[in-house]
Amino acid sequence: MSQWRSEQATSYQWPESEFQCAVQVLQQHGLGHIIEEWFLENIQQDLRHRVAPQFWSSFDDKKLKTDEEKLKSCEKNEHLKSGDRLYEAVDYLHSVTMQTIPCIDRLEALRLQEESYGPPVSSKRILNIIITYYKAIIFFTVPHCFLACVERFYSEAFRVFQHSSSEDPDGEEDSPTCNGCGEDTDNCKCSTIMEKFHNVNRKLDEIGVLERISGTAVTSIVHHQIEQNIESTCKGNFEHSYIEALEKWLDTKVLGWLNIVYASSRSSSGPESISAFRDRLLHFLYETYAKTLIDQLFNIIIEFPESEPAIADLNICLEKTDFRTHLVTSLRAALESRLLHPGVNTADILTAYISAIRSLRALDPAGVILELVCEPVRKYLRSRDDTVRCIVSSLTDEGSNELLDELVKAQPLLLDEGLTSDDDTDDWQTWMPDPVDADPSSTSKSRRASDIISMLVNIYGSKELFVNEYRTLLADRILTHFNYDIERELRYLELLKLRFGETQLHYSEVMLKDVADSKRINSRIAEENEQLGVKENIDVNAMILSAQFWPAFREEKITLPEEMQHSLECFTKRFEALKGNRTLNWKPHLGLVNIDIELKDQVFSFSVSPVHAAIIMQFQNQDKWTVDELSTVLEMPASALRRKITYWQSQGLLKEEVPDMFMLVEEHKGHSQDVMIPDEDETESAMASAQEQREEELQVFWTYIVGMLTNLDCLPLERIHSMLRMFAMQGPSAGECSIHELKGFLDTKVKEQKLIYSGGVYRLSKST
């Protein structure tokens, strides 16, 4: 037995005479069946003590480290490459396997001669047992260096295959190196690499361990190639759809290579296995592409509608993957980090929000993703003071924009509270249930039917805020530009009436009527003056406004020069004669004055506010004025005077000789570069600020509160608030007042000693 084992250890061959003699002895004693057991036992021992150590010696860590160092100094030494190591090791294992074939055939022939010793031996069964020994003894534990070597070998083969199967392989003729093997073009090794690749796959398949050795590496390589291809092809490109191109690339490049590896494999189901693998790879491709798009979704939204193909691709990916939750979480985080902070203008936030509405509606027509993702945006916009003004400005600004386009569509405004049921669905046959992540507290129709303007209004849940802001902007435009041409404003008003209703916009309609009436009255008074031969030093065109229909004006104290005041009084008398029992209450700080200034041989024309005109006109009387003197004459605060006078300094007409002393510059040399005009002077609004308007509204409430407490002696906060809602908070000009705001206002009055608070109720103080 020991002599056979020695022979087996070298070549699996032994003398025929000894073999026949041994077989006859065993058969005579009824022990012929142990020949197979004896053979397999010796195979195990040989694999364990000789084959396995010899095979793994090619992948010794120290040897590989030494070889890697050699490769750095001599990269073209082909013998030292890891692919060659794998090739040599596989070739050795294959040769060992082939040496067992004659023995297996002899065992099979022996069993055929003596059927009485048991069923015939199947060579295929014994070979499968040997393959199992390979997996259990040689490949039971696989070192990392071997896996790395296998992965490098298959990666190189995939790169060469991709290069050789490219549609334009001749396009790299001018390149000094081959993109497949990385060698010089004149010394290309692609054919050698592919030949070794085919040989390794064939030999691994013949010994039955192809999938055991290559499976992990092939899967890792294919996944990496899919990720790399999506990264290089699709990232940052939103104007084209890539789903079809990616699927084609997967079928031609990836599956073409997998077919080379596994299609002829005898240890797998061949084409059926490749088909099943394709389904898994296709799902991985969709997942990878979906993650790439989701990571860039903020940019895709900003670039919509140019990025609509990317949205369509993402929609397909979401149908095939379970990434909705990841999308919502990722996009919410992107919006909060990149959009919802003080460094971004409100107008930019609104633009991004509108793009999000349009793009996410295309992605999810049910509106569930939009509802989940944009809730932080709506909450943040509610916290900004200028949100309503920005929305209304976009609705009525000249030029084309998304909100104006939505307004022109003239769809009646729908608020969330008006859509309470889904029972009125137009076509029940096309009805689709909401996704499982939909908010059950909101109706499906409210999410699907609301347009952009409706969603912006629903940020606050009330149309009144927007209507009041529109009135303020309309009044500001009219009084700032002082223009009687209201054709454009009438068009916008009619469009807004379709959205918000005529009742809400009645006050705005009266405002535009005031402008038209003012134009007519000015013409009438000018005709009468011409008929009577009256010629005023200053021609006056007035904007005659119905005070109760207009928002609060910005207040500013000023006494105009006598000649300006005289012209206004003359206009008032003409108006009273024309209108009977009506008169005019002038706002002297508002309006526009066309003034000509003569300095020696020069004449300069300006269009300025009445306050600026009043300041420069005082320099007709004397060339020098101190701030205190001019402030006394004009009866305006010195701080406001200093701010206004900088305009004339910037024009080079006034200069400050000493602090608070200004003199007229007779020799005008152009604009002064040494004086900065405050920004608010250039674009100062004619209307009161929101804070000023709020203070005025609260003062109106104060009158009601005093009347309540006078009649009822004392009242708790809740009762005061409910009575104010009933009597004082009615009509478009009356603002809302929350109970917390009212409490702050009443506490202020307590500090001013106008109210007394005790026992949870408010009373008037004796001084009040």
Side-chain angles (χ1 to χ4, degrees), residues 322-334:
D322 188 23
F323 279 180
R324 282 176 66 96
T325 303
H326 172 61
L327 184 149
V328 171
T329 304
S330 175
L331 185 55
R332 280 176 69 117

Side-chain angles (χ1 to χ4, degrees), residues 174-237:
D174 297 335
S175 176
T177 59
C178 174
N179 289 341
C181 60
E183 300 286 343
D184 294 339
T185 306
D186 297 335
N187 191 31
C188 180
K189 298 292 191 301
C190 289
S191 58
T192 304
I193 291 172
M194 289 305 295
E195 182 181 355
K196 290 184 177 180
F197 173 66
H198 290 300
N199 288 333
V200 166
N201 288 329
R202 177 181 56 80
K203 291 177 180 179
L204 288 175
D205 184 40
E206 289 178 357
I207 61 179
V209 293
L210 174 61
E211 292 187 9
R212 176 70 177 85
I213 291 180
S214 65
T216 302
V218 167
T219 302
S220 174
I221 291 165
V222 168
H223 284 183
H224 175 71
Q225 291 297 327
I226 290 174
E227 292 171 349
Q228 193 176 49
N229 185 59
I230 290 175
E231 179 81 12
S232 61
T233 304
C234 310
K235 191 169 184 179
N237 301 320

Side-chain angles (χ1 to χ4, degrees), residues 291-308:
K291 289 178 183 177
T292 302
L293 291 175
I294 290 172
D295 291 342
Q296 304 174 91
L297 190 51
F298 181 85
N299 294 333
I300 292 173
I301 287 173
I302 297 300
E303 295 185 19
F304 193 84
E306 287 78 9
S307 60
E308 191 168 1

Side-chain angles (χ1 to χ4, degrees), residues 580-596:
N581 59 349
R582 296 177 63 187
T583 188
L584 297 176
N585 181 20
W586 294 95
K587 298 288 184 183
H589 60 289
L590 301 178
L592 195 64
V593 178
N594 296 321
I595 185 171
D596 293 334

Side-chain angles (χ1 to χ4, degrees), residues 250-298:
L250 183 71
D251 289 335
T252 56
K253 301 293 185 180
V254 177
L255 293 178
W257 183 68
L258 289 176
N259 276 315
I260 295 177
V261 178
Y262 294 120
S264 61
S265 174
R266 293 179 294 181
S267 59
S268 66
S269 55
E272 293 78 8
S273 177
I274 297 295
S275 177
F277 199 23
R278 180 190 184 279
D279 294 337
R280 295 195 296 271
L281 291 179
L282 190 60
H283 186 265
F284 180 80
L285 182 142
Y286 283 128
E287 284 188 338
T288 305
Y289 190 31
K291 289 178 183 177
T292 302
L293 291 175
I294 290 172
D295 291 342
Q296 304 174 91
L297 190 51
F298 181 85

Side-chain angles (χ1 to χ4, degrees), residues 599-699:
L599 296 175
K600 293 188 176 181
D601 297 332
Q602 293 179 299
V603 177
F604 304 97
S605 298
F606 297 93
S607 292
V608 295
S609 70
V611 176
H612 287 107
I615 292 172
I616 199 65
M617 287 177 68
Q618 295 300 329
F619 285 86
Q620 292 182 110
N621 303 325
Q622 61 185 61
D623 292 340
K624 294 183 180 180
W625 288 88
T626 65
V627 171
D628 292 337
E629 292 173 346
L630 198 54
S631 175
T632 302
V633 172
L634 296 176
E635 297 184 4
M636 66 183 299
S639 58
L641 176 61
R642 289 190 186 92
R643 183 165 53 87
K644 297 289 184 180
I645 209 169
T646 54
Y647 172 79
W648 295 116
Q649 286 182 268
S650 68
Q651 299 299 322
L653 296 177
L654 297 180
K655 71 175 182 179
E656 191 174 10
E657 279 192 325
V658 294
D660 291 342
M661 171 69 76
F662 295 90
M663 68 172 294
L664 184 67
V665 179
E666 292 288 345
E667 295 183 1
H668 183 260
K669 297 181 180 179
H671 295 267
S672 173
Q673 302 297 324
D674 300 329
V675 180
M676 297 296 294
I677 306 176
D679 292 339
E680 63 268 17
D681 247 23
E682 299 179 2
T683 57
E684 196 167 18
S685 173
M687 313 313 297
S689 66
Q691 182 178 356
E692 293 170 343
Q693 291 187 47
R694 196 61 186 150
E695 290 175 357
E696 185 176 343
E697 290 172 1
L698 292 175
Q699 288 304 319

Side-chain angles (χ1 to χ4, degrees), residues 679-730:
D679 292 339
E680 63 268 17
D681 247 23
E682 299 179 2
T683 57
E684 196 167 18
S685 173
M687 313 313 297
S689 66
Q691 182 178 356
E692 293 170 343
Q693 291 187 47
R694 196 61 186 150
E695 290 175 357
E696 185 176 343
E697 290 172 1
L698 292 175
Q699 288 304 319
V700 174
F701 295 153
W702 173 243
T703 305
Y704 284 92
I705 294 169
V706 171
M708 294 178 204
L709 297 179
T710 300
N711 295 326
L712 302 175
D713 186 40
C714 62
L715 288 172
L717 175 64
E718 293 77 11
R719 181 75 183 280
I720 294 174
H721 185 256
S722 63
M723 294 182 70
L724 285 176
R725 285 176 63 96
M726 186 180 301
F727 299 109
M729 302 180 189
Q730 302 295 327

Side-chain angles (χ1 to χ4, degrees), residues 739-754:
I739 192 167
H740 299 290
E741 190 176 14
L742 177 61
K743 185 178 186 306
F745 177 69
L746 296 178
D747 290 345
T748 302
K749 294 300 181 182
V750 171
K751 292 178 182 178
E752 295 174 358
Q753 299 183 354
K754 294 182 179 180

